[in-house]
Amino acid sequence: MAYVLRVLESYPRERVTFFMQSLRYDRGLKGIYLLRAAQRSYIFAHILTWHLQDESVQEDGASVKNDSSFQAILSEVRQHIIDALSLKALDLFYREFDFFEKVTSISGALFPLPKEERRAGTSRELEKIKMQGEDLYLPTAPSKLVKGIQIDSGIPLQSAAKVPIMITFDVVDRDGNQNDVKPQACIFKVGFCIF
């Protein structure tokens, strides 16, 4: 296990977020690795907290109840990661999560609307969302900084249970030319984001 930990630590933190699942089965060295990695990279800490949040919610939006010990460890680890963030990383964390929570919540706001009104409803809801800084990034693509939302890009998609929406953001590469703005479409539904 010590060897596994050394190997994991040799990889860039942003590439090993899938090991969050290991907490369910191994709360020892892999859990220690995740916490250490989160302390060394605030982006990894943010990504890990996204995963921990997503893991604690089922598809229907209900909390995971079939494994209460795992649920407890998710909440504990998530809070430990947040508490360890620097003030600068914590500020970005709150702005990042607030921004994408607002985007994701549009899906829920559209559900009671008739299908023919959902596209206009999406645009109305997108207009209400304001960018809070130049350092927000796409949750599953942290190398893409969000420069804006294409307000008229919001498209409600077909779904029997939820109203997923596709939204196009204007993004730039974090380490690239900041004037090279490109569109990036993402699909959101309450609790989830897909690229």
Side-chain angles (χ1 to χ4, degrees):
M1 289 305 290
Y3 173 73
V4 169
L5 183 58
R6 283 195 312 275
V7 170
L8 287 173
E9 288 184 337
S10 73
Y11 284 94
R13 266 123 336 260
E14 292 76 13
R15 295 189 181 206
V16 292
T17 56
F18 62 90
F19 281 102
M20 190 282 303
Q21 286 286 341
S22 70
L23 286 176
R24 182 182 300 268
Y25 307 105
D26 177 2
R27 297 178 184 147
L29 287 175
K30 291 178 192 168
I32 292 168
Y33 162 75
L34 292 172
L35 294 174
R36 279 191 200 164
Q39 289 172 346
R40 288 192 300 271
S41 167
Y42 73 88
I43 294 291
F44 181 77
H46 292 178
I47 292 168
L48 188 54
T49 56
W50 285 112
H51 285 292
L52 290 167
Q53 180 176 307
D54 288 345
E55 181 67 22
S56 67
V57 177
Q58 291 178 345
E59 180 69 21
D60 64 1
S63 292
V64 176
K65 294 180 180 151
N66 58 353
D67 188 346
S68 60
S69 65
F70 182 61
Q71 183 67 27
I73 198 80
L74 287 180
S75 182
E76 181 183 318
V77 170
R78 187 173 189 273
Q79 192 58 52
H80 183 75
I81 291 167
I82 293 168
D83 291 345
L85 290 172
S86 70
L87 290 178
K88 181 179 177 182
L90 191 61
D91 173 63
L92 176 57
F93 171 83
Y94 285 125
R95 288 185 291 111
E96 176 79 13
F97 277 66
D98 180 63
F99 179 75
F100 282 102
E101 185 175 301
K102 288 175 182 171
V103 171
T104 303
S105 69
I106 294 172
S107 172
L110 296 177
F111 187 73
L113 296 178
K115 288 184 180 182
E116 63 274 3
E117 294 179 24
R118 289 178 176 171
R119 177 121 193 199
T122 303
S123 294
R124 279 193 308 273
E125 294 298 319
L126 286 172
E127 285 176 348
K128 296 176 187 177
I129 299 173
K130 304 297 180 215
M131 294 286 299
Q132 299 176 21
E134 295 287 317
D135 52 354
L136 300 179
Y137 58 88
L138 296 177
T140 58
S143 65
K144 303 293 183 187
L145 296 176
V146 177
K147 294 300 176 185
I149 303 173
Q150 295 182 10
I151 302 297
D152 295 329
S153 72
I155 301 171
L157 305 174
Q158 298 298 321
S159 174
K162 304 214 181 208
V163 183
I165 52 174
M166 184 166 61
I167 298 170
T168 301
F169 296 90
D170 292 323
V171 300
V172 296
D173 286 328
R174 181 182 297 274
D175 298 323
N177 180 347
Q178 298 300 296
N179 295 318
D180 188 17
V181 179
K182 295 179 181 171
Q184 174 71 55
C186 307
I187 298 173
F188 294 87
K189 65 180 178 177
V190 176
F192 297 92
C193 170
I194 305 165
F195 296 90

